[in-house]
Amino acid sequence: MTRAATHDDANATRLRETARIGFENAESAFTLLADRAIEMGDVAVASPDARRPIDAAWDAGVLFELEGCLDACVALLFRAEHRDALVERMMGESPKALGPLAVEATLTEVANILASHVASGIADALGERLLPSVPMLFAEGAAGEIEAFLGERARPDAPRYSCELGEPGGELGALLVLAPTR
């Protein structure tokens, strides 16, 4: 193995560990927000040549660009049933009773909190500053919209990190995606 390959492997390992720390922070915040046990799945790493598009079942989502010590995007995506259960849990009423604006506001606020915890975990691990941008909400078709955005902004040679957060056997869940940018 060449010295450059060894360096690249070390960087990839550090970034995966850093993503895991950020995702664990989001898991803790999600547990507190939902007042239910939320667990984090394994951190999946998709290399550029093995990357598949985000499953279209992840219909609603919020995307943030991270600014500071790591140039990256972080996205939180929700399946329709997760979105509805989350909104009802947070607001105490069904999404239909609340209307679309309340649903969008709830998703954006929850995603803002979780993305801030991802950024905080990464920043703490690196001893630097990292902040999420203003959120970009995709109320429908989030998987495709976020894939298109990442296609324009994410580094084509960089791996993408993801993990699911969810209530074991329950109704709450989300997908976190971290993609280094140019």
Side-chain angles (χ1 to χ4, degrees):
M1 187 180 296
T2 67
R3 185 176 182 166
T6 303
H7 180 70
D8 288 346
D9 288 346
N11 282 341
T13 299
R14 273 195 297 269
L15 190 51
R16 181 175 189 214
E17 180 62 17
T18 302
R20 185 191 60 74
I21 291 167
F23 293 167
E24 285 176 347
N25 263 16
E27 171 197 27
S28 296
F30 199 6
T31 294
L32 291 172
L33 280 173
D35 194 27
R36 294 187 179 177
I38 301 295
E39 293 181 0
M40 183 177 96
D42 292 334
V43 176
V45 181
S47 62
D49 55 338
R51 191 173 300 140
R52 291 187 203 128
I54 298 168
D55 184 342
W58 296 100
D59 189 50
V62 185
L63 178 75
F64 302 84
E65 292 184 86
L66 298 179
E67 301 166 359
C69 63
L70 175 66
D71 292 330
C73 291
V74 64
L76 286 98
L77 295 103
F78 305 91
R79 295 181 188 276
E81 64 272 15
H82 294 151
R83 176 199 60 221
D84 293 347
L86 179 64
V87 169
E88 190 160 339
R89 181 77 180 157
M90 296 290 108
M91 302 299 288
E93 290 189 51
S94 76
K96 288 180 181 176
L98 292 168
L101 291 178
V103 170
E104 291 172 4
T106 303
L107 284 183
T108 302
E109 285 306 313
V110 168
N112 194 27
I113 291 166
L114 298 183
S116 293
H117 277 77
V118 170
S120 176
I122 292 170
D124 290 349
L126 299 175
E128 299 285 339
R129 183 174 169 262
L130 186 64
L131 298 171
S133 68
V134 173
M136 292 175 259
L137 172 70
F138 302 97
E140 294 179 352
E145 294 290 340
I146 289 172
E147 279 292 344
F149 187 89
L150 294 178
E152 292 176 11
R153 299 279 173 95
R155 282 186 24 214
D157 62 332
R160 188 179 294 172
Y161 305 87
S162 63
C163 80
E164 289 189 42
L165 302 176
E167 180 182 21
E171 55 191 15
L172 299 178
L175 175 68
L176 280 167
V177 176
L178 179 73
T181 57
R182 298 188 206 295

